[in-house]
Amino acid sequence: MPHNTFTHALARVPTLNMGDGLTTQDLGEPDVALAIEQHAAYCEALRACGLNVTVLPGDAAYPDACFVEDTAVIYGDLVVITQPGAPSRQGETEAIQQVFGNRTVMRLTGDEYLEGGDVLVCADRVLIGLSGRTNRAGAERLRGWLQEYQNGLRVDFVSVSGVLHLKTGLTELAPGVLLKSPDFVTDYAFDFAEAHTLSDSEKYAANVLPINGSLLVHAGYSSVLKLAERYCSSVLPIQMSEFEKMDGSLTCLTLRYSV
Ligand code: CIR
């Protein structure tokens, strides 16, 4: 399976009431006009990485719907529609399932809860965070489908506390190189990779998005930028201040896949 190589991305425009969404931050109300500008610039950056980006309309019934990553997990041709652990977000999946209607779509049901922000596809394994939004039943079901899809795929569970999702606190900057927020607490051992724990002032930058040989990083974090430039010749800093106010980061604004 080619790693971090995609042809398409799916996004959903922020709604005027995005400030009514869930957040643990105390950074004030998002400026929606600025959020829409930042969202458009993010989508443009993905187009510059060669992706065909579809932007769905928002839905005011779901102020968190722009964080589409949480509604599905796409691995090769396998599409899994999740059941977000946040009750206010569960209805977001309908619009996403319709987009993927003609592909093999699996769906979490019953007591299986999982949000895509808890799934990190690394070069040699998939990590599933057990967080406040993803439970063991959801993680086990997803692991079963992933391993049915790719025989021998290593899928590990990672306990997550101190951050919202696994990828809020941990992403892979390059194969074998992890960025970790100092807030992220786990008993999982990251001895398979070189893990860089960021300073408190750069913790938001732990979420980076590698795509087709380029790397999107949060703008304004100099040590992460320096590290990124050491591993990647095409680093794209993106302004995300209005999404940060709602606990969102780079990965959460799209689903990436290939057709
Ligand atoms: C939430 O709390 O669900 C949203 N306000 C933020 C979700 C961010 N999702 C992600 O990082 N995958």
Side-chain angles (χ1 to χ4, degrees), residues 1-6 72-81 100 103-104 119-127 142-143 145-155 255-258:
M1 171 95 41
H3 188 50
N4 294 327
T5 302
F6 309 100
V73 175
I74 306 179
Y75 188 81
D77 288 329
L78 174 70
V79 179
V80 174
I81 302 295
F100 294 103
R103 294 175 59 146
T104 313
V119 180
L120 176 63
V121 178
C122 295
D124 75 332
R125 68 192 69 194
V126 175
L127 302 179
L142 178 63
R143 175 162 66 183
W145 283 331
L146 286 169
Q147 290 178 334
E148 224 169 84
Y149 179 79
Q150 187 178 321
N151 199 13
L153 178 67
R154 178 167 178 171
V155 181
L255 286 163
R256 286 81 51 191
Y257 57 101
S258 292

Side-chain angles (χ1 to χ4, degrees), residues 85-152:
S88 66
R89 300 199 57 193
Q90 286 165 2
E92 292 175 25
T93 55
E94 289 311 316
I96 305 303
Q97 173 150 17
Q98 280 174 23
V99 174
F100 294 103
N102 57 352
R103 294 175 59 146
T104 313
V105 172
M106 313 301 274
R107 231 197 133 109
L108 296 181
T109 55
D111 65 350
E112 300 157 356
Y113 294 103
L114 182 136
E115 296 189 359
D118 279 317
V119 180
L120 176 63
V121 178
C122 295
D124 75 332
R125 68 192 69 194
V126 175
L127 302 179
I128 305 181
L130 300 174
S131 70
R133 301 287 181 88
T134 293
N135 67 6
R136 188 164 280 275
E140 273 170 4
R141 179 70 69 199
L142 178 63
R143 175 162 66 183
W145 283 331
L146 286 169
Q147 290 178 334
E148 224 169 84
Y149 179 79
Q150 187 178 321
N151 199 13

Side-chain angles (χ1 to χ4, degrees), residues 4-252:
N4 294 327
T5 302
F6 309 100
T7 61
H8 284 67
L10 181 67
R12 207 162 176 191
V13 84
T15 48
L16 296 179
N17 65 345
M18 69 177 280
D20 294 340
L22 304 169
T23 189
T24 60
Q25 303 300 317
D26 191 12
L27 297 170
E29 279 285 306
D31 172 337
V32 181
L34 182 55
I36 290 171
E37 250 175 58
Q38 292 179 343
H39 192 266
Y42 167 91
C43 291
E44 258 333 290
L46 294 189
R47 290 188 182 103
C49 296
L51 297 192
N52 181 325
V53 182
T54 301
V55 183
L56 299 179
D59 179 344
Y62 301 107
D64 281 312
C66 62
F67 303 116
V68 284
E69 176 179 66
D70 296 321
T71 60
V73 175
I74 306 179
Y75 188 81
D77 288 329
L78 174 70
V79 179
V80 174
I81 302 295
T82 66
Q83 256 205 130
S88 66
R89 300 199 57 193
Q90 286 165 2
E92 292 175 25
T93 55
E94 289 311 316
I96 305 303
Q97 173 150 17
Q98 280 174 23
V99 174
F100 294 103
N102 57 352
R103 294 175 59 146
T104 313
V105 172
M106 313 301 274
R107 231 197 133 109
L108 296 181
T109 55
D111 65 350
E112 300 157 356
Y113 294 103
L114 182 136
E115 296 189 359
D118 279 317
V119 180
L120 176 63
V121 178
C122 295
D124 75 332
R125 68 192 69 194
V126 175
L127 302 179
I128 305 181
L130 300 174
S131 70
R133 301 287 181 88
T134 293
N135 67 6
R136 188 164 280 275
E140 273 170 4
R141 179 70 69 199
L142 178 63
R143 175 162 66 183
W145 283 331
L146 286 169
Q147 290 178 334
E148 224 169 84
Y149 179 79
Q150 187 178 321
N151 199 13
L153 178 67
R154 178 167 178 171
V155 181
D156 290 354
F157 295 168
V158 177
S159 64
V160 175
S161 57
V163 290
L164 177 64
H165 290 125
L166 173 64
K167 279 187 288 197
T168 320
L170 184 83
T171 57
E172 193 188 45
L173 180 81
V177 183
L178 300 172
L179 286 184
K180 190 172 160 299
S181 160
D183 288 350
F184 172 40
V185 178
T186 184
D187 53 14
Y188 186 83
F190 295 106
D191 46 12
F192 71 96
E194 175 188 322
H196 295 261
T197 301
L198 302 176
S199 66
D200 196 55
S201 63
E202 298 227 353
K203 63 188 177 190
Y204 181 54
N207 183 280
V208 296
L209 179 54
I211 300 218
N212 298 349
S214 293
L215 188 68
L216 274 65
V217 300
H218 288 131
Y221 298 93
S222 57
S223 54
V224 171
L225 183 64
K226 211 179 281 173
L227 198 59
E229 285 172 343
R230 198 194 302 165
Y231 289 96
C232 183
S233 57
S234 170
V235 179
L236 307 174
I238 308 288
Q239 297 286 351
M240 290 281 292
S241 60
E242 303 318 292
F243 299 100
E244 181 182 8
K245 292 173 182 172
M246 302 310 296
D247 270 336
S249 36
L250 287 166
T251 60
C252 65

